[in-house]
Amino acid sequence: MSENGALPLRGKVLTVDTMNANVKKVDYAVRGPIVQRAVQIEKELKEGVKKPFEEVIKANIGDAHAMGQRPITFFRQVMALCTYPQLLDDNKFPEDAKNRARRILQSCGGNSIGAYTTSQGIDCVRHDVANYIQRRDGGIPSDPDNIYLTTGASDGIVVRQANANTVLCTLDLYTQSQPVCQVQSRQCIEDVIRFAVKENLFLMADEVYQDNVYAEGCEFHSFKKVLFEMGPEYSSKVELASFHSTSKCYMGECGFRGGYMEVINMDPEVKAQLTKLVSVRLCPPAPGQALMDLVVNSPQPGEPSYQTFIKERTDVLSALAEKAKLTEEILNTVPGISCNPVQGAMYSFPRITLPERAINEAKAKGQAPDMFYCMKLLEETGICLVPGSGFGQREGTYHFRMTILPPTDKLKIMLNKLKEFHQKFTQQYS
C-alpha cells in the first residue's frame, strides 16, 4: 500500500504479451476480417446507411439452415420429443420417432437430455455410430470404445491438434489448380496413406461431406475402409482419426453441434490421455449427441417415417447437385475466373486472375491480393466470400471460396453480381 493507504496502480495481468503464444497464432479465415466487416455492414443497413445493395449475402460458411434449407422432419420430431418428453403422449408423432426418443432418454441421467453425459458420449449413441461405420464400410469392425462424440467435427480436430505444429504442404497428388470440393478417388486416398506411412504421420480424415457427392462417376471412400482393404501391412500400423458431423451432408444442423471421432491404432497410453482431455470438457452437448444418433440410425424401410425422410433427403441433395453445376457453369463464363467441377461438399473454390496493379495496391495496404479483392467485393455488392489465402494456396495464385447453399434464385443473382464485379474490377486495375 502507498502512504495514504491506497492500493498501487498496476497494469493488466493478462496481456497479449503474457497470454499463451499459441492463441495468437490462431487464424480462422471463415470468420475473419471480411465476416467482421460484413456484420458491421448489416448494422449500417439497419441504421439506414445507403449502400449499392440491400442485403449482405453470407456465402462464406456452410450454414445450410441460415441459407433457407428446411430441417429434416424426422430429426426435429425426435429432438422435440427428447426436449419435451410430455409430447410422447401426443398421437401426432410417428411411433418410430417416439421409439428413438425413448431409447435416447433412457440412456440419459434422470431420463433427461439436460443431464451431463459420460465424457466420451452417450453409450447407446456410440454403439449406433460404431454399427453405422461397420455397415458403411462393408463389415469392417468398429469398436464403440474407439468412438468419441464431439461438439461438431471441429471440436474433435481441435482436441487432436492440441499443441501440435502445423506444416502446410501442397500434395502433388493434386494436378488441378484448386482441389477443394473435389471428391477424392480411391487411388488418391491410397497415395495419402502410403505418404503417411513413409513420413510417419498420424492421419486425420475430415469426412463430414460423405453424403455430398454430386459428380457422375464419383463416390465416397472412407479412409478406414481403404486402409483396411490395403491389407495388414497398413491397417495394423497407420494411426487414423476420422470425423463426421451433423452440420453438413443433407442435415445442415450446424447449431446442434453434433459430431463423432473414431480413432484407429492409437497408442493405449495416448488414448488414455485423449480420454482425460475430453473429460476436462465434461461432455459434448447432449442434444447434439442425440441428433448424431439419428443421422447414423435414420428411418428404415417399413417404418412410418421412412418415405418422408427419403424424399426430404433426396430433395436436399438433388438441389445441391443442381446448384453445384450452376455455379461451375456461370463462373466459367467469366474471363479471369476458372472453376473446377464442384464434385462434392458445399463450396466452390475458383481461381482468379488479378491485374498487376491490383496486386501491388493490395501489397501496399498490407493485404493478401485475394483478401483485397474479396473486401472490395463485399463493399460494392454485399457478397461475403473467403479469400483463398485463408486456406493456403500455391505461391502466386489467388482464389476465393464461396458456398453453393443460397436458394437457386438467389444463387443466380449472386453469381451474376460476382460476374459483373470481376469484369469491372479487372477493367479498373488493368
Side-chain angles (χ1 to χ4, degrees), residues 313-329:
R313 181 184 187 277
T314 302
D315 287 349
V316 169
L317 294 174
S318 296
L320 285 169
E322 178 189 341
K323 289 187 281 190
K325 190 164 185 60
L326 178 71
T327 300
E328 174 202 345
E329 288 174 350

Side-chain angles (χ1 to χ4, degrees), residues 145-146 148 263 266-276:
D145 192 48
N146 289 334
Y148 291 79
V263 295
M266 181 175 277
D267 182 287
E269 292 184 4
V270 174
K271 189 178 174 188
Q273 295 299 313
L274 172 62
T275 303
K276 179 184 75 174

Side-chain angles (χ1 to χ4, degrees), residues 49-216:
V49 178
K50 295 297 180 185
K51 301 282 183 185
F53 48 86
E54 295 181 351
E55 66 171 335
V56 173
I57 301 176
K58 290 180 180 174
N60 60 298
I61 195 165
D63 192 349
H65 291 192
M67 287 291 179
Q69 180 178 310
R70 295 178 65 84
I72 299 295
T73 301
F74 179 77
F75 292 168
R76 288 302 181 91
Q77 286 176 329
V78 179
M79 295 309 298
L81 292 163
C82 286
T83 306
Y84 192 61
Q86 288 87 331
L87 292 174
L88 287 164
D89 296 325
D90 192 323
N91 60 15
K92 294 186 183 71
F93 289 82
E95 279 305 310
D96 52 348
K98 290 181 179 181
N99 290 338
R100 298 293 201 289
R102 290 189 189 102
R103 182 168 179 268
I104 291 167
L105 289 172
Q106 286 165 5
S107 297
C108 294
N111 291 331
S112 172
I113 205 168
Y116 284 131
T117 75
T118 59
S119 298
Q120 204 166 328
I122 298 171
D123 187 64
C124 76
V125 179
R126 290 191 294 116
H127 276 80
D128 286 347
V129 169
N131 290 335
Y132 162 81
I133 293 171
Q134 191 161 320
R135 289 194 309 272
R136 182 198 68 186
D137 292 343
I140 296 168
S142 178
D143 184 350
D145 192 48
N146 289 334
I147 305 296
Y148 291 79
L149 301 181
T150 57
T151 309
S154 54
D155 179 65
I157 294 169
V158 167
V159 169
R160 281 290 312 123
Q161 286 185 332
N163 252 349
N165 292 320
T166 301
V167 179
L168 179 64
C169 60
T170 305
L171 297 181
D172 289 332
L173 301 170
Y174 297 111
T175 57
Q176 296 151 319
S177 61
Q178 58 270 35
V180 172
C181 295
Q182 307 301 293
V183 177
Q184 288 189 330
S185 67
R186 182 189 174 89
Q187 183 60 54
C188 176
I189 293 173
E190 287 185 6
D191 289 343
V192 169
I193 290 171
R194 290 189 181 97
F195 178 75
V197 171
K198 179 183 175 185
E199 300 297 331
N200 201 30
L201 300 175
F202 189 111
L203 269 181
M204 293 192 289
D206 180 355
E207 298 180 334
V208 302
Y209 297 108
Q210 54 192 262
D211 293 316
N212 296 105
V213 178
Y214 318 124
E216 195 173 327

Side-chain angles (χ1 to χ4, degrees), residues 99-406:
N99 290 338
R100 298 293 201 289
R102 290 189 189 102
R103 182 168 179 268
I104 291 167
L105 289 172
Q106 286 165 5
S107 297
C108 294
N111 291 331
S112 172
I113 205 168
Y116 284 131
T117 75
T118 59
S119 298
Q120 204 166 328
I122 298 171
D123 187 64
C124 76
V125 179
R126 290 191 294 116
H127 276 80
D128 286 347
V129 169
N131 290 335
Y132 162 81
I133 293 171
Q134 191 161 320
R135 289 194 309 272
R136 182 198 68 186
D137 292 343
I140 296 168
S142 178
D143 184 350
D145 192 48
N146 289 334
I147 305 296
Y148 291 79
L149 301 181
T150 57
T151 309
S154 54
D155 179 65
I157 294 169
V158 167
V159 169
R160 281 290 312 123
Q161 286 185 332
N163 252 349
N165 292 320
T166 301
V167 179
L168 179 64
C169 60
T170 305
L171 297 181
D172 289 332
L173 301 170
Y174 297 111
T175 57
Q176 296 151 319
S177 61
Q178 58 270 35
V180 172
C181 295
Q182 307 301 293
V183 177
Q184 288 189 330
S185 67
R186 182 189 174 89
Q187 183 60 54
C188 176
I189 293 173
E190 287 185 6
D191 289 343
V192 169
I193 290 171
R194 290 189 181 97
F195 178 75
V197 171
K198 179 183 175 185
E199 300 297 331
N200 201 30
L201 300 175
F202 189 111
L203 269 181
M204 293 192 289
D206 180 355
E207 298 180 334
V208 302
Y209 297 108
Q210 54 192 262
D211 293 316
N212 296 105
V213 178
Y214 318 124
E216 195 173 327
C218 292
E219 62 178 308
F220 168 73
H221 301 277
S222 80
F223 264 77
K224 181 184 177 183
K225 186 171 190 288
V226 174
L227 175 65
F228 276 77
E229 288 178 350
M230 289 173 71
E233 178 187 358
Y234 295 94
S235 61
S236 63
K237 296 177 183 175
V238 174
E239 296 155 75
L240 169 69
S242 59
F243 307 90
H244 195 14
S245 165
T246 64
S247 301
K248 309 303 177 185
C249 296
Y250 61 93
M251 302 85 70
E253 294 280 13
C254 303
F256 276 100
R257 308 308 300 129
Y260 73 70
M261 168 175 66
E262 182 185 32
V263 295
I264 305 295
N265 292 329
M266 181 175 277
D267 182 287
E269 292 184 4
V270 174
K271 189 178 174 188
Q273 295 299 313
L274 172 62
T275 303
K276 179 184 75 174
L277 192 59
V278 299
S279 298
V280 173
R281 300 186 177 191
L282 295 179
C283 68
Q289 296 185 50
L291 186 60
M292 191 76 251
D293 187 69
L294 304 178
V295 172
V296 300
N297 188 21
S298 57
Q300 298 301 303
E303 292 188 307
S305 300
Y306 180 74
Q307 293 299 331
T308 300
F309 170 77
I310 289 298
K311 182 182 185 306
E312 290 178 347
R313 181 184 187 277
T314 302
D315 287 349
V316 169
L317 294 174
S318 296
L320 285 169
E322 178 189 341
K323 289 187 281 190
K325 190 164 185 60
L326 178 71
T327 300
E328 174 202 345
E329 288 174 350
I330 292 180
L331 288 179
N332 280 328
T333 66
V334 187
I337 297 183
S338 171
C339 182
N340 280 346
V342 182
Q343 296 177 341
M346 301 176 169
Y347 314 94
S348 63
F349 199 74
R351 181 171 178 172
I352 51 176
T353 302
L354 301 180
E356 196 64 32
R357 273 185 60 207
I359 294 171
N360 292 336
E361 185 170 327
K363 290 179 178 176
K365 292 176 180 288
Q367 291 183 339
D370 44 19
M371 169 67 85
F372 176 75
Y373 175 94
C374 288
M375 193 65 83
K376 271 193 164 295
L377 175 71
L378 173 63
E379 296 287 354
E380 295 182 22
T381 69
I383 298 172
C384 180
L385 307 181
V386 189
S389 50
F391 299 96
Q393 56 193 350
R394 288 186 186 277
E395 186 72 28
T397 66
Y398 308 107
H399 303 78
F400 61 77
R401 191 189 81 164
M402 60 166 278
T403 72
I404 62 170
L405 290 173

